[in-house]
Amino acid sequence: MSVVGFDLGFQSCYVAVARAGGIETIANEYSDRCTPSFVSFGQRNRAIGAAAKSQVVTNCKNTVQGFKRFHGRAFSDPYIQSAKSKLVYDLAQMPSGSTGIKVPSYFTDTERRSVIDAAQIAGLNCLRLMNETTAVTLAYGIYKQDLPAPEEKPRTVVFVDLGHSGYQVSVCAFNKGKLKVLATAFDSELGGKDFDDILVSHFCEEFGKKYKLDVKSKPRALVRLYQECEKLKKLMSANSSDLPLNIECFMNDIDVTGTLNRGQFEEMCAGLLAKVEGPLRSVMEQAKLKKEDIYAVEIVGGASRIPAIKERISKFFGKELSTTLNADEAVARGCALQCAILSPAFKVREFSITDVVPYPISLKWNSAAEEGLSDCEVFPKNHAAPFSKVLTFYRKDPFSLEAYYNNPKELPYPSPTIGQFVIQNVVPQASGESSKVKVKVRINVHGVFSVSSASLVEIVKTAEGEEPMETDQAAKEDEVKNDDMEVTTSTEDGKQEKKTDQPPQAKKPKVKTKTVELPIENNLHWQLANETLNLFVENEGKMIMQDKLEKERNDAKNNVEEYVYDMRDKLHGVLEKFVSEADRDAFSLKLEDTENWLYEDGEDQQKQVYIDKLAELKKLGQPIYERYMEAEERPKAFDELGKQIQMYMKIIEAYKTKDEQYEHLDELEVTRVDKQVNDAMVWMNSKMNQQSKQDLTQDPAVRVTEIQAKTKELYSACNPVVSKPKPKVEPPKEEKTENGPVNGKEGTEGQPCSPDKTANEGTEQATAENKLPEMDID
């Protein structure tokens, strides 16, 4: 069972794996732990990661990047429309209306569902969709040995995550074995990409004036400029002097050059740098904390390395920043730790996580008591998550609930709707009164809102003489009334939050009730239909198979090309002595024809065509190569056989001279060994003489396999005879007397074993068996 954490970034991805020794960030096929978030589409297959990024210039129209901000958004979304004009590739509207294909803490319900759908399409079993800042807090806290005890005042730490596409801040309280996120704040329009955009705009303007070039009209030139500006930005983080930007053959075969220093860069980005303090101030206000309450400020994310940003964060809190975490890999490691906690395959130190709801969520419905709409905030901002609440309605007919974010100004896009949930099969009581309907709403571990269940409490008439009884346990809960709706809160583990400030109520007469589960129709905003999702899963499977087939086809083609180059060089090198001049010329011509075919008619052929072409070449080249290998290995094989013969001849000679070591051997068997050795020597000399007369361009007179078989045959026939051990001579037995000891020693054969000793040995054995190793991740 694999336990894996994914950090899916705007620009790059990291994958961490939980193993017996701890958490390890794994490398890709290029031995790099950072995998670019790029996908390139070719005519036959896809390239993903580093292979796709290498095509971003040559195949810019079909190489997709920066799609993290597109999750869960409609094609008509203002952000999509504004971003579309800046992309070098095209966006197309899907039939469902989505632009689809670790999450930021500011991701909404729709965006989270989009990521879960994408994971399902990719064939991943997502145990938990985790906020990036929460993953960082887990990676930070689970290894700390000096956290305060649960009953003590918690340690408060601020985490600042500035990535390529977003800026997130969270405040977390740590105690031993648990963490609680107190508040979060963000700016989804501030990240490393925005600094890159300013640099690109600056040089586009400079090159337009200096070289009369319209850079934005050429997608390929624009992509190259983005790459160079990103490199320049990283260099300016480490150097304050003037730094050059040089691009050869940029446009129209013109080489361009420019210079910039850190001071100029910070002046250009003054507007972006001014936005750094906003989320910091907001998160402190939400958590109602003072700067003195903060134990440490931990920064992660690639863009957090910009000196001006670190300076502003440090100045705001009035303390040095902490960089104990790996700025790039902390999120992936935290996700892998969470996965290990949820997996039964690992034993991890107990550590509970309490996250928060990033936006306030409300419900509205048609009121039964009066005409018009009623609403209620069910999950305020920074409410603990996961969490659930039970809402009680009194209705005679089916009704619908609409979930929405009640503060749309905070959302990264203007659609505040989560979805509609229709409670079906609601009927009045037998008496005609409204039925009591209990609706359970929850925020699950993924941070996704849902109406998880609905039930109708039906009052059952008791038979005459039967004692009434209360079977509806939920009716005993204290409820807070709100118009025609009541609220009961509960945590995910089912513990009720009792309201103790309500006035005591008169004891109600007991009635017999039964609960009927009601069906719920979900109409989620921009949710992929099951049929569409299944179609995408099927298409992804087809593309994976097509990628595999294309890889095999390319491998077959490369094998032909590799064989042509390899044999062409060897025919005039190590293989030259083993092929006649006429055969060499014919084979060289065949190789040359094959090379020309590969770049003409053979450029795009089926896999089997390349396999057949390689077999055709090997039919000519393999005999030559085998003659070379035989000539290389034959001396070694003859040498091994000669050593065997010499060894057995020495043993036979020692036997004949009555050597004490071999005098126990049977004479008949030794004679047989002598004959075997002489026959082997005659065979070897004969074959060596035949081979010495054979030309190297012809097949060998004896093959290496024959020599090895002869060596094995000789060993099997001779070794059992010459290695036979000497017979053992038993010492004379001493007789026992009838009375008294033998040779002055008493026998111990019949003595009973001490019961204490037996008990001790059994206890030690049981103790040893109980000490089993435990696998633990600390």
Side-chain angles (χ1 to χ4, degrees):
M1 179 188 293
S2 297
V3 176
V4 186
F6 292 92
D7 175 11
L8 305 177
F10 185 93
Q11 188 183 33
S12 57
C13 306
Y14 290 87
V15 181
V17 179
R19 290 178 175 154
I23 304 298
E24 178 184 349
T25 305
I26 59 176
N28 55 26
E29 64 271 28
Y30 296 90
S31 301
D32 191 355
R33 296 195 288 190
C34 173
T35 300
S37 300
F38 288 73
V39 180
S40 182
F41 295 89
Q43 291 183 348
R44 292 175 177 267
N45 66 324
R46 301 171 297 175
I48 299 172
K53 188 175 182 180
S54 65
Q55 301 180 29
V56 73
V57 175
T58 57
N59 189 25
C60 59
K61 286 284 187 181
N62 298 311
T63 302
V64 183
Q65 58 173 306
F67 40 77
K68 182 174 179 178
R69 288 180 175 178
F70 298 160
H71 275 295
R73 295 180 186 263
F75 186 76
S76 57
D77 189 286
Y79 174 79
I80 297 295
Q81 293 303 314
S82 64
K84 184 182 174 186
S85 61
K86 302 176 185 176
L87 298 174
V88 295
Y89 54 89
D90 294 328
L91 289 178
Q93 183 168 359
M94 292 163 53
S96 63
S98 298
T99 54
I101 229 206
K102 133 209 135 186
V103 296
S105 60
Y106 54 80
F107 259 28
T108 63
D109 200 84
T110 308
E111 292 168 306
R112 291 171 188 271
R113 280 188 272 109
S114 174
V115 175
I116 293 172
D117 288 344
Q120 184 176 344
I121 292 168
L124 298 174
N125 176 26
C126 183
L127 295 181
R128 177 167 184 171
L129 208 61
M130 202 169 188
N131 290 334
E132 290 174 354
T133 49
T134 308
V136 173
T137 60
L138 177 60
Y140 174 88
I142 198 169
Y143 293 108
K144 297 293 182 183
Q145 301 290 340
D146 58 345
L147 294 178
E151 66 276 4
E152 297 177 3
K153 182 181 178 181
R155 178 182 298 175
T156 307
V157 181
V158 174
F159 294 89
V160 180
D161 181 1
L162 186 56
H164 197 66
S165 67
Y167 174 39
Q168 305 168 71
V169 184
S170 67
V171 178
C172 186
F174 289 95
N175 286 95
K176 190 173 183 179
K178 67 177 182 179
L179 69 85
K180 182 179 181 181
V181 180
L182 302 178
T184 61
F186 59 85
D187 187 341
S188 60
E189 300 298 326
L190 177 61
K193 179 181 181 300
D194 300 289
F195 290 92
D196 292 346
D197 289 341
I198 288 180
L199 286 174
V200 169
S201 298
H202 166 75
F203 284 108
C204 281
E205 184 180 348
E206 181 178 321
F207 295 158
K209 294 177 181 178
K210 191 174 179 180
Y211 301 101
K212 309 298 181 186
L213 297 176
D214 184 6
V215 179
K216 294 184 178 179
S217 65
K218 299 290 184 182
R220 188 172 296 181
L222 189 61
V223 169
R224 291 185 67 191
L225 183 58
Y226 263 104
Q227 291 178 336
E228 294 302 322
C229 285
E230 185 185 347
K231 294 176 184 176
L232 180 63
K233 179 186 69 176
K234 293 178 180 179
L235 288 173
M236 285 190 294
S237 295
N239 300 278
S240 57
S241 58
D242 289 347
L243 295 171
L245 182 141
N246 301 313
I247 309 176
E248 295 181 356
C249 298
F250 183 57
M251 285 178 66
N252 306 328
D253 293 331
I254 298 175
D255 299 340
V256 296
T257 183
T259 58
L260 198 70
N261 60 45
R262 187 193 295 173
Q264 294 170 330
F265 173 61
E266 290 177 0
E267 287 179 13
M268 292 159 48
C269 300
L272 291 177
L273 295 173
K275 298 167 69 176
V276 171
E277 290 187 8
L280 301 176
R281 190 175 295 105
S282 172
V283 80
M284 296 296 286
E285 292 172 356
Q286 292 176 43
K288 297 181 176 59
L289 294 172
K290 298 178 182 178
K291 295 176 183 178
E292 298 78 31
D293 300 328
I294 304 302
Y295 176 82
V297 179
E298 190 80 26
I299 60 169
V300 295
S304 66
R305 296 184 175 95
I306 298 176
I309 291 176
K310 291 197 288 188
E311 181 184 343
R312 279 163 173 75
I313 297 173
S314 178
K315 184 178 179 181
F316 178 85
F317 288 103
K319 60 175 60 186
E320 289 292 323
L321 302 181
S322 174
T323 54
T324 59
L325 295 174
N326 186 311
D328 297 315
E329 302 174 8
V331 175
R333 294 174 67 84
C335 289
L337 278 167
Q338 174 65 87
C339 192
I341 291 171
L342 297 175
S343 170
F346 290 90
K347 180 184 176 183
V348 187
R349 180 186 304 156
E350 291 186 10
F351 208 85
S352 67
I353 304 165
T354 305
D355 213 333
V356 294
V357 180
Y359 308 104
I361 299 176
S362 293
L363 286 176
K364 62 181 176 183
W365 63 91
N366 287 318
S367 175
E370 56 187 39
E371 293 184 2
L373 294 173
S374 296
D375 62 357
C376 173
E377 185 176 79
V378 287
F379 295 109
K381 183 175 181 177
N382 292 330
H383 193 288
F387 205 83
S388 65
K389 291 186 178 183
V390 176
L391 314 178
T392 304
F393 296 86
Y394 295 91
R395 294 303 177 98
K396 296 180 180 180
D397 303 305
F399 61 100
S400 65
L401 302 172
E402 182 181 345
Y404 65 97
Y405 296 111
N406 63 7
N407 191 356
K409 293 181 180 179
E410 296 185 358
L411 297 177
Y413 59 93
S415 177
T417 305
I418 296 174
Q420 274 199 336
F421 305 88
V422 181
I423 314 300
Q424 300 176 331
N425 297 354
V426 179
V427 294
Q429 297 289 342
S431 61
E433 297 178 353
S434 297
S435 296
K436 186 177 183 180
V437 180
K438 295 201 167 215
V439 179
K440 185 177 182 179
V441 296
R442 66 193 291 255
I443 299 287
N444 63 15
V445 292
H446 304 303
V448 175
F449 175 87
S450 65
V451 176
S452 58
S453 65
S455 59
L456 183 144
V457 181
E458 184 179 344
I459 299 175
V460 182
K461 290 185 178 180
T462 57
E464 191 172 344
E466 183 181 350
E467 183 180 354
M469 60 183 293
E470 173 67 74
T471 59
D472 182 14
Q473 298 297 329
K476 298 179 181 179
E477 300 164 359
D478 295 324
E479 295 165 342
V480 182
K481 293 189 176 182
N482 181 0
D483 193 18
D484 61 331
M485 187 271 290
E486 301 168 351
V487 181
T488 304
T489 62
S490 66
T491 57
E492 279 294 274
D493 58 6
K495 296 179 182 177
Q496 302 294 329
E497 291 186 2
K498 296 290 186 179
K499 304 291 182 179
T500 57
D501 58 347
Q502 300 297 316
Q505 299 178 353
K507 187 176 181 181
K508 296 180 180 179
K510 293 183 178 180
V511 293
K512 186 176 182 181
T513 62
K514 71 175 183 178
T515 302
V516 180
E517 294 297 323
L518 301 176
I520 304 169
E521 180 184 341
N522 297 327
N523 298 309
L524 297 169
H525 188 61
W526 299 121
Q527 172 70 36
L528 287 177
N530 286 334
E531 296 79 9
T532 307
L533 185 60
N534 292 335
L535 178 63
F536 288 167
V537 172
E538 183 181 344
N539 290 342
E540 174 65 16
K542 290 179 181 178
M543 286 191 283
I544 291 173
M545 184 58 65
Q546 179 62 32
D547 294 343
K548 182 180 178 182
L549 293 174
E550 182 63 15
K551 183 181 182 301
E552 291 175 354
R553 191 188 75 86
N554 286 329
D555 288 345
K557 180 182 177 181
N558 292 336
N559 289 339
V560 176
E561 188 175 24
E562 181 183 355
Y563 188 79
V564 168
Y565 293 147
D566 184 48
M567 291 303 292
R568 189 168 57 189
D569 292 340
K570 287 181 178 178
L571 280 177
H572 298 280
V574 294
L575 301 181
E576 188 174 9
K577 297 185 295 184
F578 302 93
V579 58
S580 65
E581 187 174 352
D583 290 343
R584 182 171 62 247
D585 293 342
F587 192 29
S588 296
L589 183 61
K590 184 70 174 176
L591 292 173
E592 186 178 350
D593 291 342
T594 304
E595 183 182 8
N596 295 332
W597 173 81
L598 280 172
Y599 296 109
E600 294 172 359
D601 296 340
E603 178 69 27
D604 189 12
Q605 296 290 334
Q606 296 296 321
K607 171 186 171 184
Q608 191 59 42
V609 175
Y610 296 119
I611 293 175
D612 294 342
K613 182 65 72 173
L614 182 61
E616 184 181 341
L617 293 175
K618 284 189 173 182
K619 190 175 181 181
L620 298 173
Q622 195 64 21
I624 303 170
Y625 185 73
E626 286 178 358
R627 288 197 290 270
Y628 162 71
M629 290 304 299
E630 287 285 332
E632 288 288 308
E633 297 295 330
R634 193 184 304 113
K636 300 176 186 176
F638 272 134
D639 185 55
E640 183 64 29
L641 178 58
K643 287 180 180 178
Q644 288 267 13
I645 293 172
Q646 290 293 332
M647 181 183 70
Y648 293 133
M649 289 180 71
K650 287 181 181 179
I651 294 174
I652 293 168
E653 185 65 27
Y655 173 80
K656 290 179 179 179
T657 57
K658 306 296 183 179
D659 190 320
E660 184 181 352
Q661 186 178 355
Y662 300 106
E663 65 181 0
H664 65 280
L665 298 180
D666 183 72
E667 183 179 358
L668 184 62
E669 289 180 343
V670 172
T671 304
R672 196 179 299 121
V673 168
D674 191 14
K675 184 177 183 306
Q676 289 274 358
V677 171
N678 290 330
D679 290 347
M681 180 181 291
V682 171
W683 182 88
M684 184 178 72
N685 292 333
S686 171
K687 293 300 180 181
M688 290 178 72
N689 290 333
Q690 291 178 25
Q691 183 59 43
S692 63
K693 298 174 183 178
Q694 193 85 347
D695 191 74
L696 290 177
T697 61
Q698 298 176 349
D699 290 339
V702 60
R703 295 190 177 274
V704 172
T705 52
E706 295 178 50
I707 304 171
Q708 291 173 341
K710 195 68 177 177
T711 305
K712 186 176 180 182
E713 179 188 345
L714 182 65
Y715 178 83
S716 300
C718 301
N719 195 65
V721 176
V722 301
S723 61
K724 184 183 294 184
K726 285 185 177 182
K728 292 183 179 179
V729 180
E730 295 183 2
K733 296 182 179 179
E734 297 179 356
E735 296 182 0
K736 292 184 180 180
T737 58
E738 291 185 3
N739 297 315
V742 179
N743 294 333
K745 295 181 181 179
E746 293 183 357
T748 58
E749 210 173 80
Q751 290 183 1
C753 183
S754 169
D756 292 341
K757 183 178 180 182
T758 306
N760 290 338
E761 289 177 352
T763 306
E764 290 173 3
Q765 182 179 357
T767 305
E769 291 176 351
N770 289 332
K771 291 183 179 179
L772 298 176
E774 292 184 354
M775 182 166 57
D776 201 347
I777 294 181
D778 283 338

